[in-house]
Amino acid sequence: MERQSFNTPKTYIWEVIWLTALIAAGLAATSFLSWISVGILAFCTLSAFLFFDWRFSPLGILSPQVSPENIIGTMKKEDTREENTLEEDITPKHLILMAHYDSAPVSLLYLPSMVKNFRSSLFINLFLIVFALLISIMGVLNLGEPLVSWLRWILALYFLIQGLITSFDYLRYGYTNGACDNATGTAAAMVTARRLWDKPVPGIKVSLVLTGAEETGMNGSKYYFTNKNFSFENTFVLNFDSLGKGDLKIITKTGSISTITYKNKLVAAAIMTARNDKKFNCVETASWHTGDFDTIWFARAGIPCLTLTAQDKEGAIQNLHRPEDVIENIDESLTGFTIDFAESLVRRL
Ligand SMILES: [Zn+2]
């Protein structure tokens, strides 16, 4: 077992607080800060687009930092002996079973009514940030007064309220219990690894990677991805996230601003397993655009990867980032079903 420590912002909430506070301050201070205000709003616009496209954003540096760990487990030496004899004729595959073990800050943003419109409200807010930048430029140039001044104050208030909505429940409740997101995924990854170590698939080396800081922008898996000491050639990443209730899904599309499509050997094996095995006929493909998964870095780099998650009939993850994410609301049989599904899809690789 190996531990990999890294630095990351404490939660994404601080990044949103910084963003909304800077926008409000930039708008409110336009009349005396002049072009400095425009600079602040330009910084916020750029940061917001980077942040919500799950890329490096300077907002992270402004937030309080913590040092969580990724925990990496690999097969014991004696388990790999069988596989080594095969090495000469076939290049062995490396399968990484992944799940994040951190839990999320509670946020009003994840009330079911809010989650439903997550992507459209994100686009509206991004539009309003660009609009705020234009309004501040007009303010400095003294155009359209007094309407522009009124708009500046209304927008400043709007962004302060947005910051409050995002952080209010975090300041009251702190973090979720995380039973579904993501104790279920962690358990599924661990048991699948155990099964594949006990009964190895010839030619497949299995590693278990439990990541920290997924909820701050998939930073644990990003660290693992960028600080690898091996090439990702012939590597597959199977990620488990939020398997508490609902129906098991093979995620084929994610992304909040730009869309990421999952079309690779691992996804194909999952779809084949669902199609050809009666027991798994109910498993379907689905998309997810409310936040993202640890597989994002691997998908962007073209490494075959897949996230398994469970959704309700509306396509939502139940109790996500809410105080109700506790063990009483977990359907344990679903986690077991996911492990069976994962094991059989790996045996199909
Ligand atoms: Zn999660």
Side-chain angles (χ1 to χ4, degrees):
M1 201 186 78
E2 186 195 323
R3 286 165 183 267
Q4 196 180 44
S5 164
F6 57 96
N7 285 333
T8 176
K10 194 168 178 215
T11 101
Y12 73 88
I13 299 271
W14 286 111
E15 291 171 85
V16 176
I17 290 175
W18 269 110
L19 180 68
T20 51
L22 282 174
I23 295 171
L27 284 166
T30 299
S31 35
F32 50 93
L33 285 184
S34 165
W35 290 107
I36 296 173
S37 264
V38 174
I40 293 172
L41 285 157
F43 169 82
C44 290
T45 307
L46 179 70
S47 299
F49 275 88
L50 289 169
F51 178 73
F52 288 106
D53 201 33
W54 321 120
R55 293 177 194 275
F56 170 79
S57 134
L59 292 168
I61 304 167
L62 300 171
S63 308
Q65 304 285 307
V66 287
S67 309
E69 286 176 333
N70 291 329
I71 297 163
I72 303 161
T74 38
M75 244 187 284
K76 275 193 245 132
K77 270 269 148 34
E78 56 263 35
D79 294 337
T80 56
R81 220 178 296 135
E82 188 192 350
E83 169 213 336
N84 287 341
T85 56
L86 282 162
E87 227 162 292
E88 280 147 37
D89 34 299
I90 336 164
T91 340
K93 295 183 178 104
H94 180 200
L95 173 71
I96 297 167
L97 298 170
M98 188 174 272
H100 74 86
Y101 67 88
D102 60 315
S103 60
V106 179
S107 175
L108 286 171
L109 282 186
Y110 286 86
L111 280 177
S113 53
M114 301 274 226
V115 169
K116 231 181 261 169
N117 306 313
F118 184 91
R119 212 178 188 191
S120 42
S121 61
L122 173 63
F123 287 144
I124 291 168
N125 279 313
L126 289 172
F127 169 79
L128 288 176
I129 294 172
V130 176
F131 187 60
L133 174 62
L134 293 176
I135 285 292
S136 76
I137 294 171
M138 288 177 77
V140 172
L141 298 175
N142 251 322
L143 298 170
E145 292 300 346
L147 179 68
V148 163
S149 279
W150 276 106
L151 284 173
R152 275 201 292 120
W153 288 105
I154 292 167
L155 274 174
L157 189 67
Y158 170 82
F159 281 105
L160 280 181
I161 293 168
Q162 286 295 314
L164 197 69
I165 289 174
T166 308
S167 56
F168 187 60
D169 271 4
Y170 167 63
L171 301 172
R172 281 200 298 170
Y173 302 123
Y175 294 85
T176 64
N177 170 273
C180 169
D181 182 16
N182 191 22
T184 55
T186 309
M190 287 166 76
V191 177
T192 308
R194 183 70 272 160
R195 285 197 194 170
L196 293 167
W197 285 333
D198 286 346
K199 224 176 120 200
V201 184
I204 301 186
K205 180 192 162 208
V206 176
S207 300
L208 174 69
V209 178
L210 303 178
T211 60
E214 190 267 356
E215 303 290 2
T216 58
M218 290 72 70
N219 281 333
S221 78
K222 185 186 195 176
Y223 188 84
Y224 176 76
F225 172 73
T226 45
N227 290 274
K228 58 196 182 275
N229 50 7
F230 57 93
S231 94
F232 280 123
E233 207 190 324
N234 246 327
T235 296
F236 298 82
V237 183
L238 180 54
N239 181 47
F240 300 84
D241 202 331
S242 302
L243 299 152
K245 210 169 226 167
D247 303 311
L248 181 60
K249 301 288 178 193
I250 298 162
I251 298 297
T252 52
K253 255 190 193 122
T254 65
S256 298
I257 297 180
S258 56
T259 299
I260 299 157
T261 307
Y262 290 70
K263 202 175 171 194
N264 56 58
K265 274 188 188 169
L266 202 59
V267 174
I271 292 172
M272 286 296 278
T273 309
R275 251 186 226 154
N276 297 340
D277 192 332
K278 254 211 173 112
K279 186 182 165 193
F280 301 121
N281 278 172
C282 57
V283 183
E284 289 173 348
T285 58
S287 51
W288 180 250
H289 299 289
T290 311
D292 220 292
F293 295 117
D294 267 344
T295 33
I296 184 169
W297 319 111
F298 301 89
R300 280 193 177 145
I303 295 158
C305 57
L306 163 66
T307 291
L308 295 176
T309 190
Q311 296 180 348
D312 64 14
K313 298 285 172 244
E314 270 81 52
I317 294 176
Q318 281 193 9
N319 305 317
L320 184 71
H321 301 188
R322 297 296 305 152
E324 295 79 20
D325 183 6
V326 289
I327 195 152
E328 289 75 18
N329 294 324
I330 298 287
D331 168 10
E332 278 173 46
S333 65
L334 178 68
T335 316
F337 179 76
T338 306
I339 296 161
D340 291 345
F341 180 73
E343 187 187 359
S344 38
L345 92 84
V346 170
R347 295 195 186 279
R348 234 171 233 280
L349 263 183

